[in-house]
Amino acid sequence: MKKKSFLLTAVLLLALSMFLAACGGSEESSGEKGDGEKKGSDKPKFMSIVTGGTGGTYYPLGGAFAEIISDATGIQTNAEVSGASAENMNTLKDGAAEIAFSQTDIASYAKDGKLMFEGAAVDNVSAIGTLYPETIQIVTTAKSGIKSVEDLKGKKVSVGAPGSGTNPNAEQILEVHGMTFDDINKQDLSFDESTAGIQDGTIDAAFVTAGTPTGAVEGLSATEDIVIIPIAQDKIDALIEKYPYYIQDEVPSGTYKLKDAVPTVAVQAMLVVSNDLSEDVVYDVTKAIFENLDKVTHAKGKLIKAENAIKGVGIEIHPGAQKYYDEKGIKAE
């Protein structure tokens, strides 16, 4: 009887010790993970870059960046297909990715909880830097007789697909000209629908926010004498002062058979990062990208330069990225 009691006690003690050890291990593991998530102090084994659709620019660039980061940092990084800017910001908010492509204006709306992010601000992200311009092109034809933004009054004008980034671009450009959507016959059309509408005469002009040359506009230029409506310098200055994510830009001569360059503005494609990543990790990522651009084969890679990366960012720069720019003596103008 005593022997059985002794064995039973021994078994219970062994079980208790195993249970306590398991709890201690779980707490230690959980604690370490929690600290890493809270402070971003640990180097992750894996990272995701959310990009855009496979037919766009973000996805192939993201693939190139993912390979560069993997090779340079040892962190296995993958590019993921996504719905682009607005979706990407929410993906970072949810902690489902570490790095994302976005337009500068969309990132700013997300941080400030404005427009499509009203009541749902994304407050856990910072910028790595801007990449290349996405130009706002106000497209019409010579036969329309439209030569200025003010000439759009009373005309049928496409301001982009519903929920697109082009819509607020159009609204803000009209704003600095003392106009609103009430001053135009607003149409909510995609780029392809817009150029088709201009061609068949159902609309007069369209706002297009995209890298130049834009395929839909190029297609239109094959059959029509394209006009890109210029934005005057004082209006450009006023727009940039109020909305710092814009930069001055132009549509180069020769584009769409234009005889002269046309002054306008652009938002920019940018990289945004989760604040959960440490300063050291983001520094390494920033350095890897900007010092290996020769490995990027996409045409837009030629436009990406570290010295331009903090122009028109519109949101805070992550300390790790800022450390890299400081080392290189790169300053915002």
Side-chain angles (χ1 to χ4, degrees):
M1 190 70 175
K2 289 182 178 179
K3 186 175 182 180
K4 287 183 179 179
S5 178
F6 175 80
L7 288 173
L8 180 59
T9 301
V11 169
L12 289 173
L13 287 171
L14 178 62
L16 180 61
S17 65
M18 292 175 67
F19 174 79
L20 291 173
C23 287
S26 296
E27 287 173 2
E28 182 179 358
S29 174
S30 175
E32 288 176 358
K33 182 178 180 181
D35 289 343
E37 289 176 348
K38 183 178 180 182
K39 300 176 183 177
S41 57
D42 294 339
K43 181 177 179 179
K45 293 182 179 179
F46 304 98
M47 292 193 300
S48 291
I49 305 177
V50 281
T51 60
T54 56
T57 300
Y58 288 175
Y59 182 70
L61 272 182
F65 289 168
E67 186 173 348
I68 288 169
I69 293 167
S70 296
D71 291 344
T73 69
I75 302 170
Q76 182 59 46
T77 307
N78 297 312
E80 307 289 345
V81 176
S82 77
S85 298
E87 179 182 311
N88 290 351
M89 296 302 294
N90 283 319
T91 301
L92 289 187
K93 179 180 180 179
D94 295 339
E98 290 74 30
I99 305 171
F101 281 76
S102 176
Q103 286 184 196
T104 47
D105 54 339
I106 300 299
S108 183
Y109 303 148
K111 286 282 287 185
D112 295 339
K114 294 181 178 179
L115 298 180
M116 68 281 285
F117 297 96
E118 187 172 354
V122 180
D123 57 6
N124 62 331
V125 300
S126 301
I128 286 181
T130 59
L131 302 172
Y132 59 87
E134 296 190 289
T135 307
I136 289 100
Q137 307 159 72
I138 310 174
V139 183
T140 188
T141 60
K143 65 185 180 185
S144 75
I146 299 171
K147 297 180 180 179
S148 69
V149 174
E150 289 84 355
D151 289 343
L152 295 174
K153 287 183 178 180
K155 300 294 195 297
K156 291 181 179 179
V157 182
S158 172
V159 297
S164 70
T166 302
N167 190 284
N169 298 152
E171 186 172 27
Q172 290 157 3
I173 287 170
L174 291 176
E175 177 191 335
V176 298
H177 288 83
M179 299 166 63
T180 70
F181 283 157
D182 291 337
D183 292 306
I184 63 173
N185 187 339
K186 182 171 76 73
Q187 309 291 309
D188 299 295
L189 306 174
S190 70
F191 297 159
D192 288 335
E193 292 169 336
S194 295
T195 52
I198 291 172
Q199 186 170 26
D200 63 27
T202 57
I203 67 170
D204 301 299
F207 284 80
V208 174
T209 301
T212 56
T214 305
V217 184
E218 275 195 309
L220 180 63
S221 70
T223 59
E224 300 288 342
D225 187 4
I226 292 291
V227 170
I228 303 296
I229 300 170
I231 302 177
Q233 187 63 52
D234 63 327
K235 305 302 184 185
I236 290 173
D237 294 341
L239 189 68
I240 293 173
E241 182 177 356
K242 186 166 186 179
Y243 303 106
Y245 39 76
Y246 284 104
I247 60 168
Q248 184 159 343
D249 198 15
E250 66 175 27
V251 180
S253 62
T255 309
Y256 317 131
K257 304 175 186 176
L258 296 173
K259 292 181 180 179
D260 300 304
V262 179
T264 184
V265 292
V267 290
Q268 299 187 84
M270 70 184 298
L271 283 179
V272 184
V273 65
S274 168
N275 288 339
D276 285 343
L277 291 181
S278 71
E279 180 177 324
D280 288 344
V281 168
V282 176
Y283 170 84
D284 289 343
V285 167
T286 307
K287 181 176 182 178
I289 290 172
F290 286 112
E291 296 191 0
N292 289 279
L293 289 170
D294 58 319
K295 298 178 181 177
V296 177
T297 58
H298 192 281
K300 282 288 187 286
K302 296 179 181 179
L303 301 178
I304 303 171
K305 298 178 181 179
E307 54 264 35
N308 296 329
I310 54 178
K311 295 178 182 178
V313 174
I315 66 173
E316 299 86 356
I317 297 171
H318 192 284
Q322 188 63 57
K323 178 181 176 182
Y324 175 76
Y325 300 133
D326 288 345
E327 285 185 357
K328 295 295 179 181
I330 298 168
K331 299 180 179 179
E333 294 181 353

